[in-house]
PDB file of all heavy atoms in Angstrom:
ATOM      1  N   ASN B  77      25.672 -39.230   0.380  1.00 98.00           N
ATOM      2  CA  ASN B  77      24.933 -38.498   1.478  1.00 98.00           C
ATOM      3  C   ASN B  77      25.853 -38.415   2.705  1.00 98.00           C
ATOM      4  O   ASN B  77      26.572 -39.450   3.080  1.00 98.00           O
ATOM      5  CB  ASN B  77      23.649 -39.260   1.791  1.00 98.00           C
ATOM      6  CG  ASN B  77      22.830 -38.488   2.786  1.00 98.00           C
ATOM      7  OD1 ASN B  77      22.152 -37.530   2.483  1.00 98.00           O
ATOM      8  ND2 ASN B  77      22.836 -38.954   4.076  1.00 98.00           N
ATOM      9  N   VAL B  78      25.827 -37.305   3.345  1.00 98.00           N
ATOM     10  CA  VAL B  78      26.542 -37.127   4.560  1.00 98.00           C
ATOM     11  C   VAL B  78      25.541 -36.636   5.596  1.00 98.00           C
ATOM     12  O   VAL B  78      24.938 -35.569   5.450  1.00 98.00           O
ATOM     13  CB  VAL B  78      27.733 -36.213   4.560  1.00 98.00           C
ATOM     14  CG1 VAL B  78      28.444 -36.227   5.807  1.00 98.00           C
ATOM     15  CG2 VAL B  78      28.577 -36.467   3.363  1.00 98.00           C
ATOM     16  N   SER B  79      25.277 -37.308   6.650  1.00 96.00           N
ATOM     17  CA  SER B  79      24.314 -36.963   7.606  1.00 96.00           C
ATOM     18  C   SER B  79      25.008 -36.295   8.859  1.00 96.00           C
ATOM     19  O   SER B  79      26.252 -36.540   8.994  1.00 96.00           O
ATOM     20  CB  SER B  79      23.538 -38.180   8.140  1.00 96.00           C
ATOM     21  OG  SER B  79      24.448 -39.125   8.741  1.00 96.00           O
ATOM     22  N   THR B  80      24.300 -35.592   9.704  1.00 97.00           N
ATOM     23  CA  THR B  80      24.824 -35.042  10.972  1.00 97.00           C
ATOM     24  C   THR B  80      26.249 -34.195  10.656  1.00 97.00           C
ATOM     25  O   THR B  80      27.243 -34.663  11.190  1.00 97.00           O
ATOM     26  CB  THR B  80      24.877 -35.998  12.025  1.00 97.00           C
ATOM     27  OG1 THR B  80      23.871 -36.821  12.016  1.00 97.00           O
ATOM     28  CG2 THR B  80      24.955 -35.210  13.362  1.00 97.00           C
ATOM     29  N   LEU B  81      26.125 -33.220   9.675  1.00 98.00           N
ATOM     30  CA  LEU B  81      27.423 -32.722   9.243  1.00 98.00           C
ATOM     31  C   LEU B  81      28.246 -32.104  10.493  1.00 98.00           C
ATOM     32  O   LEU B  81      27.662 -31.495  11.292  1.00 98.00           O
ATOM     33  CB  LEU B  81      27.135 -31.593   8.229  1.00 98.00           C
ATOM     34  CG  LEU B  81      26.720 -32.015   6.832  1.00 98.00           C
ATOM     35  CD1 LEU B  81      26.194 -30.953   6.126  1.00 98.00           C
ATOM     36  CD2 LEU B  81      28.044 -32.640   6.195  1.00 98.00           C
ATOM     37  N   GLU B  82      29.606 -32.345  10.334  1.00 98.00           N
ATOM     38  CA  GLU B  82      30.438 -31.745  11.268  1.00 98.00           C
ATOM     39  C   GLU B  82      31.428 -30.733  10.589  1.00 98.00           C
ATOM     40  O   GLU B  82      31.529 -30.769   9.337  1.00 98.00           O
ATOM     41  CB  GLU B  82      31.328 -32.787  11.824  1.00 98.00           C
ATOM     42  CG  GLU B  82      30.608 -33.892  12.567  1.00 98.00           C
ATOM     43  CD  GLU B  82      31.401 -35.025  13.182  1.00 98.00           C
ATOM     44  OE1 GLU B  82      32.627 -34.984  12.863  1.00 98.00           O
ATOM     45  OE2 GLU B  82      30.935 -36.021  13.787  1.00 98.00           O
ATOM     46  N   LEU B  83      31.974 -29.764  11.338  1.00 97.00           N
ATOM     47  CA  LEU B  83      32.816 -28.854  10.714  1.00 97.00           C
ATOM     48  C   LEU B  83      34.010 -29.490   9.840  1.00 97.00           C
ATOM     49  O   LEU B  83      34.335 -28.985   8.726  1.00 97.00           O
ATOM     50  CB  LEU B  83      33.501 -27.956  11.771  1.00 97.00           C
ATOM     51  CG  LEU B  83      32.544 -27.003  12.490  1.00 97.00           C
ATOM     52  CD1 LEU B  83      33.318 -26.230  13.482  1.00 97.00           C
ATOM     53  CD2 LEU B  83      31.711 -26.080  11.526  1.00 97.00           C
ATOM     54  N   GLY B  84      34.427 -30.614  10.251  1.00 96.00           N
ATOM     55  CA  GLY B  84      35.475 -31.331   9.612  1.00 96.00           C
ATOM     56  C   GLY B  84      35.196 -31.990   8.370  1.00 96.00           C
ATOM     57  O   GLY B  84      36.027 -32.447   7.598  1.00 96.00           O
ATOM     58  N   ASP B  85      33.879 -31.950   8.012  1.00 98.00           N
ATOM     59  CA  ASP B  85      33.458 -32.600   6.667  1.00 98.00           C
ATOM     60  C   ASP B  85      33.561 -31.514   5.717  1.00 98.00           C
ATOM     61  O   ASP B  85      33.350 -31.908   4.429  1.00 98.00           O
ATOM     62  CB  ASP B  85      31.988 -32.911   6.863  1.00 98.00           C
ATOM     63  CG  ASP B  85      31.691 -34.083   7.816  1.00 98.00           C
ATOM     64  OD1 ASP B  85      32.660 -34.812   8.120  1.00 98.00           O
ATOM     65  OD2 ASP B  85      30.528 -34.041   8.391  1.00 98.00           O
ATOM     66  N   SER B  86      33.966 -30.262   5.889  1.00 97.00           N
ATOM     67  CA  SER B  86      34.196 -29.330   4.893  1.00 97.00           C
ATOM     68  C   SER B  86      35.312 -29.818   3.954  1.00 97.00           C
ATOM     69  O   SER B  86      36.493 -30.213   4.490  1.00 97.00           O
ATOM     70  CB  SER B  86      34.620 -28.029   5.498  1.00 97.00           C
ATOM     71  OG  SER B  86      33.544 -27.368   6.259  1.00 97.00           O
ATOM     72  N   ALA B  87      35.085 -29.927   2.676  1.00 97.00           N
ATOM     73  CA  ALA B  87      36.084 -30.584   1.718  1.00 97.00           C
ATOM     74  C   ALA B  87      35.576 -30.406   0.318  1.00 97.00           C
ATOM     75  O   ALA B  87      34.481 -30.037   0.129  1.00 97.00           O
ATOM     76  CB  ALA B  87      36.268 -31.998   2.126  1.00 97.00           C
ATOM     77  N   LEU B  88      36.501 -30.799  -0.507  1.00 97.00           N
ATOM     78  CA  LEU B  88      36.080 -30.964  -2.018  1.00 97.00           C
ATOM     79  C   LEU B  88      35.739 -32.541  -2.145  1.00 97.00           C
ATOM     80  O   LEU B  88      36.651 -33.352  -1.926  1.00 97.00           O
ATOM     81  CB  LEU B  88      37.173 -30.606  -2.801  1.00 97.00           C
ATOM     82  CG  LEU B  88      36.989 -30.648  -4.347  1.00 97.00           C
ATOM     83  CD1 LEU B  88      35.891 -29.687  -4.804  1.00 97.00           C
ATOM     84  CD2 LEU B  88      38.237 -30.452  -5.120  1.00 97.00           C
ATOM     85  N   TYR B  89      34.566 -32.773  -2.529  1.00 98.00           N
ATOM     86  CA  TYR B  89      34.161 -34.187  -2.795  1.00 98.00           C
ATOM     87  C   TYR B  89      34.174 -34.482  -4.258  1.00 98.00           C
ATOM     88  O   TYR B  89      33.501 -33.795  -5.043  1.00 98.00           O
ATOM     89  CB  TYR B  89      32.723 -34.374  -2.160  1.00 98.00           C
ATOM     90  CG  TYR B  89      32.807 -34.415  -0.693  1.00 98.00           C
ATOM     91  CD1 TYR B  89      32.616 -33.272   0.138  1.00 98.00           C
ATOM     92  CD2 TYR B  89      33.175 -35.614   0.030  1.00 98.00           C
ATOM     93  CE1 TYR B  89      32.790 -33.224   1.456  1.00 98.00           C
ATOM     94  CE2 TYR B  89      33.269 -35.503   1.458  1.00 98.00           C
ATOM     95  CZ  TYR B  89      33.059 -34.385   2.076  1.00 98.00           C
ATOM     96  OH  TYR B  89      33.124 -34.340   3.492  1.00 98.00           O
ATOM     97  N   LEU B  90      35.019 -35.456  -4.578  1.00 97.00           N
ATOM     98  CA  LEU B  90      35.167 -35.818  -5.968  1.00 97.00           C
ATOM     99  C   LEU B  90      34.661 -37.119  -6.334  1.00 97.00           C
ATOM    100  O   LEU B  90      34.758 -38.069  -5.501  1.00 97.00           O
ATOM    101  CB  LEU B  90      36.733 -35.740  -6.216  1.00 97.00           C
ATOM    102  CG  LEU B  90      37.512 -34.517  -6.177  1.00 97.00           C
ATOM    103  CD1 LEU B  90      38.944 -34.649  -5.906  1.00 97.00           C
ATOM    104  CD2 LEU B  90      37.327 -33.573  -7.491  1.00 97.00           C
ATOM    105  N   CYS B  91      34.141 -37.203  -7.544  1.00 96.00           N
ATOM    106  CA  CYS B  91      33.516 -38.416  -8.089  1.00 96.00           C
ATOM    107  C   CYS B  91      34.420 -38.870  -9.211  1.00 96.00           C
ATOM    108  O   CYS B  91      34.885 -38.018 -10.115  1.00 96.00           O
ATOM    109  CB  CYS B  91      32.123 -38.154  -8.513  1.00 96.00           C
ATOM    110  SG  CYS B  91      31.470 -39.225  -9.638  1.00 96.00           S
ATOM    111  N   ALA B  92      34.709 -40.136  -9.342  1.00 93.00           N
ATOM    112  CA  ALA B  92      35.505 -40.632 -10.506  1.00 93.00           C
ATOM    113  C   ALA B  92      34.723 -41.683 -11.050  1.00 93.00           C
ATOM    114  O   ALA B  92      34.201 -42.611 -10.486  1.00 93.00           O
ATOM    115  CB  ALA B  92      36.899 -41.054  -9.991  1.00 93.00           C
ATOM    116  N   SER B  93      34.738 -41.794 -12.417  1.00 92.00           N
ATOM    117  CA  SER B  93      34.047 -42.903 -13.106  1.00 92.00           C
ATOM    118  C   SER B  93      35.020 -43.643 -13.928  1.00 92.00           C
ATOM    119  O   SER B  93      36.084 -43.152 -14.420  1.00 92.00           O
ATOM    120  CB  SER B  93      32.900 -42.397 -14.009  1.00 92.00           C
ATOM    121  OG  SER B  93      33.250 -41.957 -15.268  1.00 92.00           O
ATOM    122  N   SER B  94      34.777 -44.954 -14.142  1.00 88.00           N
ATOM    123  CA  SER B  94      35.526 -45.769 -14.985  1.00 88.00           C
ATOM    124  C   SER B  94      34.708 -46.840 -15.632  1.00 88.00           C
ATOM    125  O   SER B  94      33.584 -47.051 -15.112  1.00 88.00           O
ATOM    126  CB  SER B  94      36.774 -46.427 -14.186  1.00 88.00           C
ATOM    127  OG  SER B  94      36.434 -47.227 -13.209  1.00 88.00           O
ATOM    128  N   TYR B  95      35.240 -47.313 -16.613  1.00 82.00           N
ATOM    129  CA  TYR B  95      34.424 -48.385 -17.436  1.00 82.00           C
ATOM    130  C   TYR B  95      33.864 -49.523 -16.561  1.00 82.00           C
ATOM    131  O   TYR B  95      32.653 -49.785 -16.431  1.00 82.00           O
ATOM    132  CB  TYR B  95      35.202 -48.847 -18.582  1.00 82.00           C
ATOM    133  CG  TYR B  95      34.408 -49.917 -19.378  1.00 82.00           C
ATOM    134  CD1 TYR B  95      33.214 -49.621 -20.129  1.00 82.00           C
ATOM    135  CD2 TYR B  95      34.884 -51.294 -19.465  1.00 82.00           C
ATOM    136  CE1 TYR B  95      32.478 -50.552 -20.599  1.00 82.00           C
ATOM    137  CE2 TYR B  95      34.164 -52.199 -20.165  1.00 82.00           C
ATOM    138  CZ  TYR B  95      32.900 -51.784 -20.798  1.00 82.00           C
ATOM    139  OH  TYR B  95      32.263 -52.699 -21.567  1.00 82.00           O
ATOM    140  N   ARG B  96      34.802 -50.138 -15.866  1.00 68.00           N
ATOM    141  CA  ARG B  96      34.319 -51.305 -15.026  1.00 68.00           C
ATOM    142  C   ARG B  96      35.021 -51.265 -13.704  1.00 68.00           C
ATOM    143  O   ARG B  96      34.730 -52.206 -12.764  1.00 68.00           O
ATOM    144  CB  ARG B  96      34.609 -52.609 -15.682  1.00 68.00           C
ATOM    145  CG  ARG B  96      35.983 -52.943 -15.892  1.00 68.00           C
ATOM    146  CD  ARG B  96      36.089 -54.392 -16.545  1.00 68.00           C
ATOM    147  NE  ARG B  96      37.522 -54.664 -16.663  1.00 68.00           N
ATOM    148  CZ  ARG B  96      38.293 -54.461 -17.769  1.00 68.00           C
ATOM    149  NH1 ARG B  96      37.778 -53.851 -18.742  1.00 68.00           N
ATOM    150  NH2 ARG B  96      39.553 -54.773 -17.764  1.00 68.00           N
ATOM    151  N   GLY B  97      35.842 -50.326 -13.299  1.00 59.00           N
ATOM    152  CA  GLY B  97      36.522 -50.292 -12.112  1.00 59.00           C
ATOM    153  C   GLY B  97      37.939 -50.797 -12.139  1.00 59.00           C
ATOM    154  O   GLY B  97      38.820 -50.054 -12.671  1.00 59.00           O
ATOM    155  N   GLU B  98      38.094 -51.993 -11.914  1.00 58.00           N
ATOM    156  CA  GLU B  98      39.522 -52.492 -11.916  1.00 58.00           C
ATOM    157  C   GLU B  98      40.081 -52.619 -13.198  1.00 58.00           C
ATOM    158  O   GLU B  98      39.405 -52.882 -14.235  1.00 58.00           O
ATOM    159  CB  GLU B  98      39.456 -53.915 -11.240  1.00 58.00           C
ATOM    160  CG  GLU B  98      38.873 -55.018 -12.137  1.00 58.00           C
ATOM    161  CD  GLU B  98      37.377 -55.085 -11.939  1.00 58.00           C
ATOM    162  OE1 GLU B  98      36.831 -54.266 -11.268  1.00 58.00           O
ATOM    163  OE2 GLU B  98      36.733 -55.969 -12.641  1.00 58.00           O
ATOM    164  N   GLY B  99      41.308 -52.218 -13.335  1.00 53.00           N
ATOM    165  CA  GLY B  99      42.098 -52.341 -14.623  1.00 53.00           C
ATOM    166  C   GLY B  99      41.783 -51.190 -15.572  1.00 53.00           C
ATOM    167  O   GLY B  99      42.286 -51.356 -16.704  1.00 53.00           O
ATOM    168  N   THR B 100      41.036 -50.277 -15.288  1.00 67.00           N
ATOM    169  CA  THR B 100      40.685 -49.137 -16.306  1.00 67.00           C
ATOM    170  C   THR B 100      40.904 -47.832 -15.590  1.00 67.00           C
ATOM    171  O   THR B 100      40.785 -47.654 -14.426  1.00 67.00           O
ATOM    172  CB  THR B 100      39.356 -49.302 -16.833  1.00 67.00           C
ATOM    173  OG1 THR B 100      38.389 -49.367 -15.661  1.00 67.00           O
ATOM    174  CG2 THR B 100      39.038 -50.630 -17.562  1.00 67.00           C
ATOM    175  N   GLU B 101      41.128 -46.893 -16.435  1.00 81.00           N
ATOM    176  CA  GLU B 101      41.456 -45.525 -16.070  1.00 81.00           C
ATOM    177  C   GLU B 101      40.184 -44.868 -15.368  1.00 81.00           C
ATOM    178  O   GLU B 101      39.032 -45.202 -15.729  1.00 81.00           O
ATOM    179  CB  GLU B 101      41.859 -44.550 -17.114  1.00 81.00           C
ATOM    180  CG  GLU B 101      43.223 -44.944 -17.802  1.00 81.00           C
ATOM    181  CD  GLU B 101      43.095 -46.028 -18.853  1.00 81.00           C
ATOM    182  OE1 GLU B 101      41.924 -46.489 -19.041  1.00 81.00           O
ATOM    183  OE2 GLU B 101      44.087 -46.312 -19.499  1.00 81.00           O
ATOM    184  N   ALA B 102      40.435 -44.087 -14.286  1.00 87.00           N
ATOM    185  CA  ALA B 102      39.421 -43.367 -13.620  1.00 87.00           C
ATOM    186  C   ALA B 102      39.468 -41.868 -14.052  1.00 87.00           C
ATOM    187  O   ALA B 102      40.567 -41.326 -14.115  1.00 87.00           O
ATOM    188  CB  ALA B 102      39.555 -43.512 -12.129  1.00 87.00           C
TER     189      ALA B 102
END
Side-chain angles (χ1 to χ4, degrees):
Chain B
N77 185 76
V78 188
S79 62
T80 320
L81 284 166
E82 301 177 359
L83 295 178
D85 296 333
S86 295
L88 180 67
Y89 290 90
L90 292 157
C91 160
S93 83
S94 61
Y95 177 61
R96 63 174 186 271
E98 68 279 4
T100 57
E101 293 87 353

